[in-house]
Amino acid sequence: MQIYFLPFSGGSYRSYEFMRKHFPKGIDLHFLELPGRGGRYGEPLLNDYRSAVADYLRQIRSSRRQDMPYIVYGHSLGSILSLEVIKQMEKSMDHPNAMVVSGNPGPGVSQLKNRNYGNLGKQDFKNKLIEMGGTAQEVLDDEELFDFFEPIIRGDFRILDEGYPNISTQKINTPIFAIMGNEEKTVKEIENWGRFTTKRFESLILKGNHFFIYDYPETLAKIIAHPNGFFNSDLSHLSASDAI
């Protein structure tokens, strides 16, 4: 089994290190990243949706695919890009076993269509990051450090801003498992993901804000590694008393 991880805005191949140890041995983990950060710091940043999708497709197709079963997981920006990546993979007859998404209700939600976060003024942009959570406090407090990371995160937000209204409504033939934190403003729209698949759909809501994922590394690893085992089943045991 292979798993491809697509990070959130501002993320890199290190973004999901917190859950790595919770995956069973023998699973081939691929932590992807866009140019301009992490191991690809020297490359120019991307600011458009289609280029980001194309870049991820190149990474997946150049990996050790070897016709192995695989799963795609993305959080926030990663979830939106995952949807288009899977559409393209299916066109080339390389279908994943499942798509797992978190921190996003999916395309078509009215609150997200014209959000324009990527073009906010500096202080408004910083306030939005504080509201969402997940940005290290030292980055927010240190002006020089924030100036370093701001173009990376802002560029990713522009990719997301462009993707929301322009992604096609074409359905994928891959099961979708969606997870969100109960404090997110769009959490009530989580079932929206079900519109984008002809296969099975399941959702789970956990306590937390946009970056609730840091509180549930073991739960996330269980779902991502074996999502098909949780469709149409009792999910309460995944998060103990924290399930909503």
Side-chain angles (χ1 to χ4, degrees):
M1 172 69 72
Q2 295 176 312
I3 303 176
Y4 294 93
F5 296 80
L6 278 62
F8 42 82
S9 295
S12 71
Y13 73 97
R14 299 181 184 273
S15 295
Y16 300 120
E17 278 293 322
F18 69 95
M19 69 171 90
R20 181 193 286 269
K21 67 180 181 181
H22 298 286
F23 285 94
K25 292 182 180 179
I27 294 182
D28 190 15
L29 306 177
H30 292 263
F31 298 95
L32 310 183
E33 67 180 354
L34 292 173
R37 80 289 310 279
R40 304 180 67 185
Y41 171 69
E43 300 178 45
L45 288 168
L46 297 179
N47 288 297
D48 69 283
Y49 174 73
R50 295 187 185 281
S51 295
V53 170
D55 191 278
Y56 278 139
L57 284 168
R58 282 193 296 270
Q59 292 181 63
I60 293 173
R61 287 169 173 162
S62 65
S63 69
R64 303 185 299 265
R65 280 291 306 119
Q66 301 175 341
D67 294 324
M68 292 174 65
Y70 73 101
I71 290 164
V72 179
Y73 167 69
H75 179 77
S76 194
L77 168 65
S79 68
I80 295 296
L81 295 179
S82 292
L83 183 59
E84 191 61 34
V85 163
I86 289 176
K87 287 178 184 178
Q88 299 304 317
M89 294 297 286
E90 288 185 348
K91 286 181 180 179
S92 61
M93 304 307 293
D94 190 2
H95 293 241
N97 284 34
M99 169 180 166
V100 182
V101 293
S102 61
N104 198 305
V109 173
S110 59
Q111 300 99 303
L112 301 175
K113 284 184 177 178
N114 300 300
R115 54 175 222 158
N116 205 30
Y117 289 173
N119 293 318
L120 291 173
K122 184 172 184 178
Q123 190 56 51
D124 288 339
F125 185 70
K126 184 180 287 189
N127 291 340
K128 179 55 63 175
L129 295 180
I130 294 171
E131 177 189 326
M132 294 175 70
T135 303
Q137 194 61 45
E138 55 265 33
V139 172
L140 296 170
D141 293 340
D142 188 311
E143 198 69 20
E144 186 175 345
L145 201 55
F146 184 78
D147 287 344
F148 175 82
F149 283 105
E150 182 184 4
I152 300 172
I153 305 173
R154 190 181 287 276
D156 286 353
F157 274 19
R158 286 177 177 143
I159 292 172
L160 195 51
D161 291 343
E162 179 189 351
Y164 276 130
N166 293 319
I167 194 167
S168 74
T169 56
Q170 174 190 348
K171 295 185 178 183
I172 58 175
N173 297 310
T174 297
I176 296 177
F177 197 113
I179 316 166
M180 290 186 73
N182 71 315
E183 296 174 17
E184 296 196 73
K185 292 180 179 179
T186 56
V187 65
K188 292 181 180 179
E189 306 286 349
I190 191 171
E191 299 298 312
N192 174 59
W193 277 113
R195 299 191 303 116
F196 292 92
T197 179
T198 63
K199 303 295 185 180
R200 294 170 295 175
F201 169 74
E202 186 64 76
S203 64
L204 177 66
I205 298 173
L206 300 171
K207 285 185 179 179
N209 61 17
H210 185 63
F211 282 97
F212 70 94
I213 56 176
Y214 293 123
D215 297 324
Y216 302 94
E218 187 173 2
T219 295
L220 284 170
K222 285 180 179 178
I223 294 173
I224 295 168
H226 303 290
N228 290 319
F230 296 110
F231 284 103
N232 302 317
S233 65
D234 179 9
L235 302 174
S236 61
H237 66 287
L238 289 176
S239 54
S241 59
D242 288 330
I244 300 301

